[in-house]
Amino acid sequence: MTHKIHASPRRILTFPAVHPCDAVAPATLLASLVNLATTICGYKSKFFAANKRNTRELIRQIGILLVFLEEILDRRLDLPASAVLSFSELHVTLQKIVYLLEDCSFGGARLLMLMKSERVSNHLRILIRATATALDVLPLELIDVSDEVKESVELTMRQARRVRFEVEADDERASKDVLLILDGFEDGVVPDRGDIRRVLDYVGIRSWSECNKEVKFLDTELGLEWSNMEKREVAFLSSLMGFMSYCRFALFDVVDGEAGQQLDKECSSDVLNCLNPDDFRCPITLELMTDPVTIETGHTYERSSILKWFRAGNPICPKTGEKVVSMDVVPNMALQRLIQQYCSANGIPISEPGHRNHDITRTVLAGSLAAEGAMKVMANFLAGRLAAGTSGERNKAAYEIRLLAKTNIFNRYCLAEAGTIPRLLHLLSSGDSSSQHNAIAALLNLSKYSKSKTIMAENGGLELIVGVLRKGLKIEVRELAAATLYYLASVEEYRKLIGEIPEAFPALLELIKTRTDRGKKNALVAIFGLLTFPDNHWRVLASGAVPLLVNLLTSSEREDLVTASLAVLATLAEKLDGTITILGTGALHLILQILNSSPSRPGIEYCVSLLLALCINGGKEVVSVLVKNPSLMGSLYSLLTEDNSRASKKARSLIRILHEFCERRASGLVTPAFPEERYVDVW
C-alpha cells in the first residue's frame, strides 16, 4: 500500500484520510503505519507558530507507538484479526495527524495557525483520543513484544485519554495582540511597530520573503473562501491579509530572497520560472485552464473545451491533427496544481473547475473594515515614501504598490486616491532599471482602474509611457509599457491622444521585431485596442505594420501570436487602403492555409472576418481566388452550427458572396458582383 499524503490539493485544516482496504496484508499495513509514524516524529525538528507544547506532546506519544510498531514489523509477528482492525483505524488517525502537523508547521500559514490556535488544539485533542480508541481493541496480550514496550503503549493510551490540549497562554496573548491591531486599523490608527514586531517574532516571521509568503497563502485561502456559498471566513481572512500586507512594507526595509536579488521578479517558484505560462492555456480557447485533462496524444486541454470538440464530431487532436482511437480524458492534476500556484503567485483569481466566476465583489470590496483601514494606511504611507524617500525607498515603495495593485480593484482605488500615480510617473525617468521597471509595472496594474487612467493622462502619463516604450532601460520595461497603453486605449479620448504621439506606433512595431513573445503579444494587443479609433487606421498602415504582421503568421509557432496578428489584419482590412496593403503582400493564400489548419477557434474566426473584409473591399479578384479553394466551404460551414455567434454570421455572409459569384459565373453574366473601382491586385 503506497502512502501518499500529498496526492491532491486540499484546504488547510482538512484531513482527507483514506481507510485501508479490507484485503490489505498485515505486513503492508504495518509498514505503512511505521512510515506514517516516522513522518510524524520527523516534525519534532519543525517550527510551530502556535500550539508548540501541544504538538510536541502529540509527537512524543506517537514516538512511543513507533517503537512498538517497528518491533512488530521487524519480528514479522502474526497478527490476530482484532489487531488488524485496530491498526486499520490507527492508520486513518495517523494520516490525519500528518495533515494537521503539516498545516501547523507550514511556512506561510503561521499567522493563520496562531489565530486558529483554539481550533487546532481541539483537533489535536480529538486525534490523540482517536489514537487511544483505535488501540482499545488491540489485544496486547496476544502480541509477542517485550513487556517494557507493552507498558509504554498502555501508558500512552492512558495519557491519551486524559490529555486536555488546551489553548496555550502565550498563543492566546499573541492572538489578542493581533485583534487589537486589527481594531486599530478599523479606526484608521497606525499600529506601533513594537507591537507588530512582537507578534511576528512570536510566529517566526523575520524577513520580507517570509511575510510575503504569508500574504500569498492568505490570498489563496481568501480566493477559495469567496468560492464558497457561505463565505463565512471572508472578513476574517481579509483582515489577516491586510495585517500581513501592512507588516510586509512597514516592518521590513530589505526585500530578501529572489525578489531581493531583483525586485521585479514575478514568481518565486523555481518550477514556474522554468515553464512558459502559455503552457497553462487551453490550445482551443487560449484561456487559463482550471480543469486540465490529457487526451490520447499526450496533449492537454480544458475539459469542457475538448469534450465539446469531440462531441462536435472531431475525433482528432486539435493541436496535431492526429486521429484518436479513444476519446477518454485523464485529469492532469500535476498541471492543475502548477496553474493554481501560478495564479496564486501572480494575483490571478482561481475559478472552480467547470464554471466561470463572474463575481467581482472580492476585488471591489476590502472584505472587512480592518482590511479597508490597513489598505488606506498603507496607501498614504507608500505615497509619502515615493515623495520623500531615498532612491532605494522609492524603488521598494513602487514594488509594494506593484504587488498591492495587482491584487484587487479596492487596492487600486486607495493607491490612486493617495496620490501615488503622479509620483510613479516621475519615477519612469529614473536611471535605475529596477526602479523604472517597478514603476511601469505598478502603473500597469493601476491602469486597470478607470480613475487611474484619467490621473495618468492628466499628468502627462501618455507621453511618458510612450517614451518608456521607445527607450526603456530593459526589454521587460518596454513590454509592460505596451501593455499599459492597451489598458489606456480602452478610453476613446486616449486612443486618439496616443495615436497622435508620433513615436507610438513605430515603437510598438519595434517591439514586435524583438525576440520575446511577450513583447510581440503586448504590442499586438495595444495596436488592436488603438485601432478602434478610426484615425489610427492610416497611422498603423503608414508605420509599415502589415508586412510585419504577415511575417508573424509564418514565423511564429505560437497560436496566440498568430491569432493576435490576424485580429489586427482583420481590423485593417475593413478599409480599402488596408485591403490593398494586405493583398499587396500576397497574404491571401496564407490566410486560407491558416483557416484550414488552425486549431484555435479565435484564430479561425479572425480568418473569416479577414477574408470577408478582403472580399468586400477587394471585389471579384479576391472572390475568384477563394472559390478555387476546395476546403474553404467546409471550414465555413463548420462555423454555422454556432447559431448567433459573430463568426457564424460572418461565415454566412462570406458563403453568400461566394455562392453569388458562382451563380453569376455559371449563368454567363459579365456584370461584376462588385464595383470596378474596388479592383485590386491580389498578387
Side-chain angles (χ1 to χ4, degrees), residues 233-270:
E233 292 202 316
V234 163
F236 170 67
L237 292 170
S238 297
S239 297
L240 296 186
M241 187 173 170
F243 173 78
M244 290 309 304
S245 296
Y246 179 86
C247 293
R248 184 180 63 191
F249 88 85
L251 217 59
F252 303 106
D253 296 327
V254 177
V255 180
D256 63 316
E258 288 188 16
Q261 297 167 15
Q262 188 177 17
L263 285 181
D264 50 35
K265 282 288 185 184
E266 286 284 344
C267 177
S268 61
S269 168
D270 291 337

Side-chain angles (χ1 to χ4, degrees), residues 11-28:
R11 290 289 304 271
I12 201 160
L13 295 183
T14 59
F15 316 113
V18 178
H19 201 284
C21 63
D22 293 336
V24 63
T28 304

Side-chain angles (χ1 to χ4, degrees), residues 450-512:
S450 57
K451 189 173 180 180
S452 297
K453 299 180 179 69
T454 304
I455 299 172
M456 289 181 199
E458 290 177 348
N459 286 273
L462 302 183
E463 292 82 2
L464 289 169
I465 292 167
V466 170
V468 171
L469 175 66
R470 289 179 60 235
K471 297 181 179 179
L473 297 176
K474 294 191 297 185
I475 184 63
E476 293 86 356
V477 171
R478 295 165 57 199
E479 292 168 353
L480 293 169
T484 308
L485 289 180
Y486 167 74
Y487 283 103
L488 291 169
S490 64
V491 179
E492 182 176 1
E493 180 185 356
Y494 304 154
R495 292 195 287 271
K496 175 179 181 295
L497 293 175
I498 293 168
E500 290 174 349
I501 301 173
E503 301 88 357
F505 287 114
L508 287 169
L509 294 184
E510 283 300 313
L511 194 55
I512 292 176

Side-chain angles (χ1 to χ4, degrees), residues 138-211:
L138 184 66
L140 278 174
E141 68 281 359
L142 300 180
I143 300 176
D144 187 17
V145 294
S146 65
D147 292 339
E148 183 181 353
V149 170
K150 286 183 180 180
E151 290 172 2
S152 297
V153 172
E154 289 170 343
L155 177 60
T156 299
M157 292 167 61
R158 289 195 296 271
Q159 290 175 340
R161 293 189 192 97
R162 293 196 305 267
V163 71
R164 299 180 64 117
F165 282 158
E166 294 179 342
V167 179
E168 297 175 17
D170 290 343
D171 292 350
E172 194 169 5
R173 278 193 294 272
S175 58
K176 284 182 179 178
D177 287 343
V178 174
L179 293 174
L180 286 173
I181 294 170
L182 295 179
D183 288 341
F185 278 137
E186 291 186 15
D187 298 327
V189 176
V190 178
D192 180 83
R193 284 174 62 93
D195 292 340
I196 58 177
R197 174 69 71 184
R198 185 168 60 251
V199 170
L200 295 197
D201 284 345
Y202 182 77
V203 294
I205 299 173
R206 297 183 175 86
S207 66
W208 186 95
S209 59
E210 289 175 338
C211 198

Side-chain angles (χ1 to χ4, degrees), residues 10 15 19 52 81 87 105 139 171 174 184 219 232 252 263 285 323 336 385 431 449 468 494 568 611-612 619 628 650:
R10 66 181 180 90
F15 316 113
H19 201 284
K52 297 177 176 65
F87 287 156
S105 62
D171 292 350
D219 187 47
R232 286 177 296 184
F252 303 106
L263 285 181
T285 65
K323 189 170 183 178
Q336 185 180 46
R385 277 286 176 89
Y449 170 58
V468 171
Y494 304 154
V568 175
L611 291 174
L612 179 60
K628 296 175 185 177
K650 293 195 173 185

